[in-house]
Amino acid sequence: MRFYSTNSPEKTVSIQDALFTSLPADKGLYMPDHLPDLGPAFFNQIASGTLADIGYQLSKALFGNEISDADLQELTHRAFPFETPVVPLEAEKLAVLELFHGPSLAFKDVGARYMAGLMSYFSKQRDSEVHILVATSGDTGGAVAMGFHNVPGVRVSILYPKGRVSDLQEKQLTTLGGNIQAFEVEGSFDDCQALVKQAFLDSELTDQIALSSANSINIFRLIPQGFYYVSAYGQVASHQKPVVFCTPSGNFGNLSAGVLVQKMGLPVHHFIAATNLNHVVPDYLLSGDYTPKDSVATISNAMDVGAPSNFVRLKHLYGDSFDAVTSQVSGCYFDDEQTRAGMQAIYEAYGYVSCPHTAIGIMGMQQYLALNNADVCGIALATAHPSKFKPLVEKVLSVSVDVPERLAVLASREKRSIQIRPRYLDFKEALLQTI
Ligand SMILES: *Cc1c(COP(=O)(O)O)cnc(C)c1O
């Protein structure tokens, strides 16, 4: 398998190059140079397996020439010790696909853990340690820290803005120890990001350590997110109905991952892209005009993206044809007031406690079912555990929401971080001292 940049399809790079560089120099996005057409029979056969087994079978179909069966088995089973269950809300008609049973309670675990496994595998081959640098405003950092924790051959340095992440988020970044080092920056998220950017441009530093990023546009975070669409398909296969997915979207990696497995033959009837007030993609799906905007803040803040980084990929997967995209994908969006009302209505109707992102997914699915009056099985992706947004969910629903044990235990652990001012030379010196 080789990868090309959407900006220069004629040139391809290896798995390793696409994995470790994340972003091609021409600022395009990496895509697989061919997607095997595995056909519905293949998916019907594998879809009843565990998430790890599905991941193994699909990885084998994609990379089986380059990574041994034994290594792929180990990688996928280590990455996915949890499942992504489909929980019915209305029998055979409406369900949620819970993607939050991993360590950081959000679907981003799936991509981060698979990518960590691949980096570990290739760094063993290269016989040198890889050093991941990542700036976080909270959420991504947790998935990356927990995903890369104790992964051999990989060190991680995470920069976060002091006092601007939630207590639980800070615990996820600062209590793991081992190969995970947190830098607490006396500044903003933008300051953190600027330090990381400067580090990548500093050849004196990159000559000494092999720097890499765990950026969400990395194609190896996206590919494994296809695995749970297959798992969901398998879990509802006995209904024998066309399957429609509704994906609450921000950067559109999650939705693109679904389209990627559809292109490989997974029978998906339709996709719905559900957003908050940041609705440039739903607008495009109506008008054909794509106009990126500044993001606006909402209560579903993990989807506050005004210029989605995976939009190019989504369009590209449909051959850049507006007609092709819109025949398979429709859009919808909800403002904060509708989201709060939706969370309440979902709780009243089904007794189901949802985070604001998940509520937007469920509402998008309900809207589709009402408009199309179709006999389909609608699956909304539940992207985060409600306890990740505990104060908001408790206020809107007047219920108490428990943080799952595996995360609650972090609260009592000791925080360890290196405090730095947002100055590059300070950061560089501190970073070099850690290795
Ligand atoms: C990241 C995130 C999203 C958006 O996913 P994209 O792949 O960026 O579209 C939605 N919900 C939650 C909870 C997230 O953390």
Side-chain angles (χ1 to χ4, degrees):
M1 168 79 66
R2 292 185 63 84
F3 296 83
Y4 64 90
S5 162
T6 48
N7 282 349
S8 42
E10 65 290 343
K11 217 173 67 195
T12 64
V13 302
S14 66
I15 295 181
Q16 293 197 46
D17 284 344
L19 175 67
F20 287 106
T21 54
S22 276
L23 197 66
D26 64 13
K27 304 271 167 64
L29 294 172
Y30 283 123
M31 293 293 283
D33 70 340
H34 74 279
L35 284 176
D37 184 2
L38 302 167
F42 173 86
F43 285 102
N44 283 321
Q45 202 191 329
I46 70 162
S48 59
T50 61
L51 185 64
D53 286 334
I54 291 168
Y56 163 68
Q57 295 288 353
L58 271 176
S59 302
K60 190 171 142 150
L62 290 168
F63 315 123
N65 296 332
E66 286 153 278
I67 304 176
S68 76
D69 275 9
D71 286 316
L72 283 179
Q73 280 276 14
E74 189 190 324
L75 193 160
T76 47
H77 286 80
R78 194 185 280 211
F80 309 127
F82 53 88
E83 295 298 330
T84 52
V86 171
V87 176
L89 299 180
E90 277 177 49
E92 301 199 359
K93 189 171 177 190
L94 176 64
V96 285
L97 170 62
E98 292 189 341
L99 304 176
F100 49 69
H101 295 281
S104 84
L105 309 183
F107 79 90
K108 290 188 176 72
D109 283 328
V110 172
R113 294 177 68 84
Y114 187 86
M115 185 177 154
L118 268 186
M119 283 193 165
S120 170
Y121 171 78
F122 283 113
S123 69
K124 259 183 266 168
Q125 279 194 346
R126 292 171 12 148
D127 224 17
S128 66
E129 200 168 60
V130 187
H131 201 124
I132 308 261
L133 268 193
V134 52
T136 185
S137 55
D139 250 8
T140 303
V144 168
M146 300 184 97
F148 284 80
H149 187 218
N150 289 336
V151 171
V154 185
R155 277 184 159 276
V156 181
S157 293
I158 298 183
L159 291 78
Y160 72 97
K162 179 181 165 78
R164 301 195 197 186
V165 303
S166 77
D167 287 351
L168 197 61
Q169 283 173 336
E170 185 170 43
K171 291 286 183 179
Q172 289 183 45
L173 308 174
T174 58
T175 60
L176 295 171
N179 62 332
I180 311 293
Q181 176 65 57
F183 288 88
E184 187 174 2
V185 179
E186 292 164 11
S188 65
F189 170 63
D190 291 336
D191 291 326
C192 298
Q193 217 162 16
L195 292 174
V196 168
K197 278 200 182 135
Q198 204 168 344
F200 279 105
L201 296 173
D202 180 353
S203 59
E204 196 193 271
L205 185 71
T206 55
D207 284 349
Q208 290 177 67
I209 45 182
L211 282 190
S212 188
S213 92
N215 198 297
S216 67
I217 49 162
N218 194 298
I219 184 73
F220 294 98
R221 271 182 65 169
L222 203 111
I223 287 170
Q225 290 176 30
F227 304 162
Y228 47 69
Y229 285 90
V230 180
S231 168
Y233 173 81
Q235 291 177 67
V236 301
S238 64
H239 304 344
Q240 307 209 321
K241 287 185 184 178
V243 178
V244 176
F245 287 105
C246 181
T247 307
S249 296
N251 267 321
F252 282 81
N254 210 357
L255 183 64
S256 299
V259 175
L260 204 70
V261 281
Q262 185 196 36
K263 292 282 161 198
M264 286 159 64
L266 181 73
V268 178
H269 180 66
H270 200 73
F271 289 101
I272 301 156
T275 74
N276 56 27
L277 276 189
N278 298 281
H279 49 77
V280 296
V281 174
D283 286 352
Y284 160 80
L285 292 168
L286 282 180
S287 68
D289 279 336
Y290 177 67
T291 316
K293 301 204 165 97
D294 288 341
S295 67
V296 292
T298 73
I299 57 170
S300 47
N301 56 22
M303 312 199 305
D304 292 350
V305 182
S309 53
N310 278 296
F311 176 71
V312 166
R313 241 180 207 142
L314 182 66
K315 242 178 37 164
H316 196 81
L317 279 163
Y318 288 113
D320 290 315
S321 153
F322 177 67
D323 289 343
V325 179
T326 50
S327 72
Q328 294 290 313
V329 187
S330 37
C332 61
Y333 63 90
F334 302 92
D335 65 21
D336 281 355
E337 200 181 319
Q338 291 171 311
T339 305
R340 285 195 190 88
M343 289 166 69
Q344 286 164 349
I346 290 160
Y347 183 61
E348 274 157 30
Y350 313 117
Y352 192 78
V353 177
S354 54
C355 87
H357 313 78
T358 301
I360 284 177
I362 297 171
M363 286 191 285
M365 197 67 246
Q366 287 172 323
Q367 197 176 72
Y368 176 89
L369 292 171
L371 285 175
N372 293 277
N373 197 20
D375 192 20
V376 299
C377 178
I379 301 177
L381 276 60
T383 48
H385 191 280
S387 71
K388 282 208 100 164
F389 303 89
K390 188 174 157 74
L392 174 88
V393 175
E394 292 189 331
K395 189 162 166 229
V396 173
L397 298 183
S398 307
V399 294
S400 79
V401 179
D402 290 333
V403 177
E405 183 62 24
R406 61 188 185 282
L407 216 66
V409 296
L410 295 181
S412 61
R413 297 229 194 118
E414 194 191 339
K415 163 183 159 184
R416 278 166 207 262
S417 67
I418 298 175
Q419 293 222 13
I420 51 164
R421 285 170 296 184
R423 290 190 201 151
Y424 181 65
L425 289 180
D426 292 4
F427 169 57
K428 182 175 175 181
E429 192 185 303
L431 180 71
L432 285 170
Q433 269 172 14
T434 65
I435 50 179

